Amino acid sequence: MTRFIRAGCLALVALVAWPPSWASAQRITTCVEVRAASLTPADRAALDTLVRSEVDRHRTHISAADATCTSHLLVELIVLEGHRYLTGRIGWQVPDRVEVDGTLEQAAGELLTTVLHSDPVRLRRPGQDAGLGGALHRLRTEGNTIWELELSELSGWLDHRVFGLAAVAIHYRRELSQVSLGMRAAVASRTSARPDRLAPMALFSVAFEIRYHASADASTSAYIGGQLGLEHQWLYGPLRSDPSTSDSANSTGLALGLRLGVELMRTTNTRLDLFALASAPLFRSRDAIDDVVKTWLPTLSVGIGLGL
């Protein structure tokens, strides 16, 4: 991997700790009320802070303290015959209750996972669930918008040797539960001088992508994705008829892609994406008279992405 890619990957990892405030714009603002008559004021305030922190960990909700909230959450700590219970209710829904066997943090996490998932603001009318149109409607109205910057190393096989290019991409997608739809624009380029042998100078691509995650709620999830788009290849090398003369070859066409990866920190405002992307063009790389190149040029990219 080139120095450029290594430095970029380190920079992306360093930026993970910087979640922008606007990233929560798609989340449901939730007023939080905590009741705990058995606790001292200091312990009650600590429990309030804990509950708000647990709410903020969920991708769908964010705690708020004003009257503009979309949802209202009530959490109550009850002590009965030496046992402690946490009861939670969102809006006017039926309360849910868990016994505090371990720490309050564990109980609050378990309770809010169930309660927030049943928030009527997140629920859909039955008619909206039907067919592809309903799925696209939910994705448009309820999905999260994610912008991702990717740095990767693109490699392939050309002229009986492996080549490598530094690549950068911008990725936009809408995500709902385990499924996301998006678009990816990428460019890969040589970082050294023109070669004396046949080699790619740059590759450009724009593709639509569909992605499926193994889990909808886990903080870390593997995924698989497919891509279809346009790819342009710019190659440079000596003429077969006159090796002392070099020329360029430009080819454009459709390309299919298969993407495998692991996405981390999915419950926060920032995502870290480790991926491998195989691209298979549906055309041959060639010049006008097949004097520079005439071959099929699949590629493999391995990289890291930062999503906001």
Side-chain angles (χ1 to χ4, degrees), residues 158-159 161 194-201 235-249 287 289-294:
L158 182 64
D159 196 23
R161 61 173 179 168
R194 286 188 176 184
D196 55 3
R197 297 178 57 180
L198 178 63
M201 299 300 296
L235 308 181
Y236 183 84
L239 302 180
R240 296 176 182 177
S241 60
D242 183 8
S244 63
T245 303
S246 296
D247 200 0
S248 295
D287 56 295
I289 59 175
D290 297 337
D291 203 20
V292 177
V293 62
K294 183 180 179 182

Side-chain angles (χ1 to χ4, degrees), residues 35-36 38-39 47 50-51 75-88 96-111:
R35 299 176 184 174
S38 61
L39 298 181
L47 179 59
L50 172 62
V51 171
V75 175
E76 186 173 7
L77 177 65
I78 301 172
V79 179
L80 181 63
E81 296 181 350
H83 297 278
R84 298 187 300 171
Y85 303 89
L86 270 183
T87 299
D96 194 81
R97 178 176 296 127
V98 297
E99 184 175 0
V100 184
D101 291 327
T103 65
L104 278 173
E105 181 179 5
Q106 294 172 334
E110 178 184 351
L111 175 70

Side-chain angles (χ1 to χ4, degrees), residues 280-303:
L282 304 180
F283 62 94
R284 283 190 173 187
S285 306
R286 60 193 305 179
D287 56 295
I289 59 175
D290 297 337
D291 203 20
V292 177
V293 62
K294 183 180 179 182
T295 188
W296 183 56
L297 188 60
T299 58
L300 175 66
S301 299
V302 177

Side-chain angles (χ1 to χ4, degrees), residues 111-261:
L111 175 70
L112 294 182
T113 296
T114 302
V115 171
L116 296 181
H117 184 74
S118 63
D119 187 349
V121 176
R122 297 184 66 241
L123 300 181
R124 303 173 290 276
R125 295 189 299 272
Q128 292 180 322
D129 286 335
L132 178 61
L136 293 176
H137 172 77
R138 297 195 305 273
L139 188 66
R140 179 177 61 85
T141 58
E142 303 175 27
N144 296 320
T145 296
I146 300 173
W147 287 93
E148 187 169 317
L149 173 65
E150 300 174 358
L151 296 175
S152 61
E153 176 80 3
L154 181 146
S155 59
W157 180 263
L158 182 64
D159 196 23
H160 308 291
R161 61 173 179 168
V162 176
F163 67 85
L165 303 177
V168 61
I170 296 293
H171 199 160
Y172 166 84
R173 57 191 171 98
R174 290 281 289 179
E175 178 186 72
L176 180 65
S177 184
Q178 294 170 261
V179 179
S180 65
L181 293 177
M183 176 177 286
R184 181 178 187 266
V187 56
S189 176
R190 288 183 61 88
T191 57
S192 58
R194 286 188 176 184
D196 55 3
R197 297 178 57 180
L198 178 63
M201 299 300 296
L203 277 72
F204 308 89
S205 64
V206 177
F208 292 98
E209 179 189 88
I210 183 170
R211 185 183 297 188
Y212 181 80
H213 282 85
S215 172
D217 302 315
S219 175
T220 298
S221 175
Y223 68 83
I224 183 172
Q227 293 186 353
L228 174 64
L230 288 175
E231 181 174 304
H232 177 80
Q233 300 173 352
W234 172 25
L235 308 181
Y236 183 84
L239 302 180
R240 296 176 182 177
S241 60
D242 183 8
S244 63
T245 303
S246 296
D247 200 0
S248 295
N250 290 274
S251 303
T252 303
L254 290 175
L256 292 174
L258 175 65
R259 180 173 177 134
L260 300 175

